[in-house]
Amino acid sequence: MFNKIKFLKTAIFILLFQNIALSNTISGRITDTKKELLSFVTIYVKNTTIGTTSNSMGEYSLDLPKGEYDLVFQYVGYKTKVEHISLQIKPLHLDISLVEEDLLLSEVTVKANAEDPAYRIIRNMIKQRKIRLKAVTNSECDVYIKGNQKIKNAPDKIMGRDLGDLGGGLDSSRSGIVYLSESVSKLYFEQPDHFKEIMISSKVAGNDNGFSFNQAQAVNFNFYQNELDFQTKLVSPIADDALLFYRYELISSFRDKDGRLISKLKVKPKNEYGPVFGGFIYVVEDEWAIYSTDLYVTKSATGLEVLDTLHIKQTHLSFDAVGAKNWLLFQQIISFNIKVLKIETGGVFTAVFSHYKLNQSLPKGFFTPEILKVEKEANEKTPAYWDSIRPIPLTIEESRDYYRKDSLKVIRTGKHYLDSMDARRNKFGVLNLLLGYTYRNSFKKQAFSLETPLNTVQFNTVQGWRVGLGVHFRQNYDDYRIRWWEIRATLDRGFAELRPRCTLGATYHFNRTNNSEINIRGGEILQQYNAENPISEAVNSIYTLYEPINYLKTYQKQFVKTSYEQEIWNGGFLTAEAEFAHRKVVENRVLSLSKDGKDVPMPANLPETADAYALFGESHNLRFSATLRIKFDQSFIMYPERKIIVDDGKYPTIYVRYTGGYAANDYHQLAVKTTYDVPTGVVGTSQFNLEGGYFLKSPLYFYDYQHFNGNQTILGNPNNYLNNFLQLPYYRYSVGSNWYAHAHYEHNFGTFLFNKLPLIKKLQFTAHIGANALLTPAMPQPYYGVNAGIGNIGWGIIRLLRVDYTLSRNTEGLWQPGFMIGLAL
């Protein structure tokens, strides 16, 4: 009886609570005079920053305390409507019909040689840009973001891989919602560029353990800035130099509800392949503020081949409560269409910024490198909570998607379902010979992988034709790889040798907060003298078989090595490594190869060095190294039990390295390196890599010298050019005493240079220049190299090729020209 009474009391409480929660809700649907639904209409309480927006079906909902309100309905191109409402103890339903705006100017006729009136407006906007940008010292607001991404006519397979139903989002036509997420955050801002965001609640369809990646800072596009970041920098239509990039046309004008004159300007790129937007911008005349935007970018402007079009629609509001001069971003809709291979997808991310507080007194130290913190219980909110705070009603399709995926989640995390899916994926097919094979036990979070031997077939002068085999086992303890361990084994066999070589290694990853990890590995390998492997085995195989010549200089190493790494403070990452190794020279077993019918002898498997005192031969070595990587003021995002580094590139990254050799070969070396990416606006990005080192005590053996990443082929990887010399001999300038210094510079212009050339601009090529220098005491003069190249060569999304002209001056003062063909992998 007691339980029944308790149940009854609980039921009554819930019913009363629901009644209270719904009692102050106003909702309805918004249409035009033709009964057409109006999506994303701005709705707010007059003279406040409290409001919402209608969804894609024209539906809206807003929770308010009991009282009298003037509710404003605002939509660009339609007359603003103000409704006086009285909210009592029951919900209020109010449908709204908006009437098209009476335009004061429907068409402008500009006489010959006369300037369009739009330019007067834009010049005034440019004059006011910095004032508007700095008008608010700091702010606090609530941000709600809903992300909805759909896929259309998805194929069943891509490259032989079964796509399935993509988490339960696809219907029988292979179309549907593949991502649906909501988040609620507090967003804090302080001049000039300090942000702090606290995500209070997060919901992802079909993932009750997941957190939304809807980040308010990522969608807060400010057109008062000169440039906006879309992988490449795009020029704002009201930037200081906007007149160099845009043409403008005054389309129409109208008066808003407060009698302010609003002008609609068409923004037209002078060059559609330039870093520009297109579309419309609405301006509040006399105040010269943004009223709203309807702008777009294309792949021609961004260089993103997968992008068709991305639209940004904004609504800015001026509230008497916070000062008439403060126009604040209230609503933003980002919609996009992309295509990757055969998959077409589109998405809409809607953000509502509300409940602003301006120029508050924030405590000292409030803004830290932690730019986003997701609260631990953010993903544990109930459906009742979301129904009570959601400012944008779900559409019927979205409600069904939540229900379907949340129901499927229960099934698809069960052992029976996971075992059945593994049974399908674990089948071995012919394609696995090329791609490798993985056997999974998803319920136990285990995976066993077998690397295909076909990917390891190479040729070198020590082993002849060789083939390798790799196996790998991994055990995860959670769905987010917070803690895991793995074991790896490799077997390497050359047909010109009588012995195989093998290694065995293990890794344990403790967490993803400080990314602490321990590794141990041992075995026998053929190791390049430069452990950074300046030439790939595949490239060397080509040169050895067709020149024939051998650039791959290796020695035999039997070793055991252990390492530990961990972030010891924010931005300070320490890696420590200890290795005991037995090294010895190995000789060629392939002594010659046929070239044009003649046997060409292969040079010895020893590096060509100018240091006559370097020792080659058998040696034992105990080596210890420690590297500290320092990133100043490193920004990061903090999820529960996960830390994600945000590489904002504001400051250089510094590496301090100590390497010491003990036992038979006693030496000590210190080195300092710094890397820095310097954005230069629409002109591209400059990158620097500077390093210098000093031997406190010199090594005896050449294995332990400081080697530099040279290249004596015409093939390279552009991703490594900032750390490589494109024509430097591999080992000629290696040093084992005194000091050394080298510098690398590269500038990526993006499409800036080519987007002005007829026909060529359609190819979306990128332009690159670079320079490098190397200096050691043994050199009579420094080694220099310069290069200039064309990148992004290819078709569609496959753009991996880059071609450079190179010019280097060796230490004897001789200049050597050449070409480099780069494959960006």
Coordinates of all heavy atoms in Angstrom, one line a residue, residues 113 127 179 199 201 321 495 501 509 545 569 713 773:
N113 N 28.5 56.8 -65.8 CA 29.6 57.4 -65.1 C 29.3 57.8 -63.6 O 30.1 58.3 -62.9 CB 30.2 58.5 -65.8 CG 30.8 58.2 -67.2 OD1 31.3 57.1 -67.4 ND2 30.6 59.1 -68.1
K127 N 34.2 53.0 -42.4 CA 34.7 53.9 -41.4 C 34.2 53.5 -40.0 O 35.0 53.8 -39.0 CB 34.1 55.3 -41.7 CG 34.7 56.0 -42.9 CD 34.0 57.3 -43.2 CE 34.6 58.0 -44.5 NZ 33.9 59.3 -44.7
Y179 N 23.2 13.1 -38.9 CA 23.7 13.8 -37.7 C 22.7 14.7 -37.2 O 22.2 15.6 -37.9 CB 25.0 14.5 -38.0 CG 25.6 15.3 -36.8 CD1 26.2 14.7 -35.8 CD2 25.4 16.7 -36.7 CE1 26.7 15.4 -34.7 CE2 25.8 17.4 -35.6 CZ 26.5 16.7 -34.6 OH 27.0 17.4 -33.5
M199 N 29.7 24.5 -21.9 CA 28.6 23.7 -22.5 C 27.9 23.1 -21.4 O 28.4 22.2 -20.7 CB 29.1 22.7 -23.5 CG 28.0 22.0 -24.3 SD 28.6 20.8 -25.6 CE 29.2 22.0 -26.8
S201 N 24.6 21.6 -21.6 CA 23.9 20.4 -22.0 C 24.1 20.1 -23.4 O 24.4 21.0 -24.2 CB 22.3 20.6 -21.8 OG 21.9 21.8 -22.4
A321 N 17.5 48.0 -23.9 CA 18.0 47.7 -22.6 C 19.5 47.7 -22.5 O 20.1 47.8 -21.4 CB 17.5 46.3 -22.2
F495 N 65.1 -11.9 -49.6 CA 65.4 -13.2 -50.3 C 66.9 -13.3 -50.6 O 67.3 -14.4 -51.0 CB 64.6 -13.2 -51.6 CG 63.1 -13.4 -51.4 CD1 62.2 -12.3 -51.4 CD2 62.5 -14.6 -51.0 CE1 60.9 -12.4 -51.2 CE2 61.2 -14.7 -50.8 CZ 60.4 -13.6 -50.8
R501 N 64.2 -10.8 -39.9 CA 64.4 -9.9 -38.8 C 63.0 -9.6 -38.3 O 62.0 -9.5 -39.0 CB 65.0 -8.6 -39.3 CG 66.5 -8.7 -39.7 CD 67.0 -7.3 -40.1 NE 68.5 -7.4 -40.3 CZ 69.0 -7.8 -41.5 NH1 68.3 -8.1 -42.5 NH2 70.3 -7.9 -41.6
H509 N 48.3 3.2 -23.1 CA 47.9 4.6 -23.0 C 47.0 4.8 -21.8 O 45.9 4.2 -21.7 CB 47.1 4.9 -24.3 CG 46.8 6.4 -24.5 ND1 47.7 7.3 -25.1 CD2 45.8 7.2 -24.1 CE1 47.2 8.5 -25.1 NE2 46.0 8.4 -24.5
L545 N 66.4 0.0 -59.0 CA 66.0 -0.9 -60.1 C 66.2 -0.3 -61.4 O 66.5 -1.0 -62.4 CB 64.6 -1.4 -59.9 CG 64.3 -2.4 -58.7 CD1 62.8 -2.6 -58.5 CD2 65.0 -3.7 -58.9
W569 N 52.5 20.0 -18.1 CA 51.7 21.2 -17.8 C 51.0 21.6 -19.1 O 51.4 21.1 -20.2 CB 52.5 22.4 -17.2 CG 53.4 23.1 -18.2 CD1 53.1 24.1 -19.1 CD2 54.8 22.9 -18.3 NE1 54.2 24.5 -19.8 CE2 55.3 23.8 -19.3 CE3 55.8 22.1 -17.7 CZ2 56.6 23.9 -19.7 CZ3 57.1 22.1 -18.1 CH2 57.5 23.0 -19.1
T713 N 66.9 12.7 -55.0 CA 66.0 12.2 -56.1 C 65.1 13.4 -56.6 O 65.3 14.5 -56.1 CB 65.1 11.1 -55.5 OG1 64.1 11.7 -54.7 CG2 65.8 10.1 -54.7
A773 N 68.7 26.8 -45.4 CA 70.1 27.1 -45.3 C 70.6 26.1 -44.2 O 69.9 25.8 -43.2 CB 70.4 28.5 -44.9

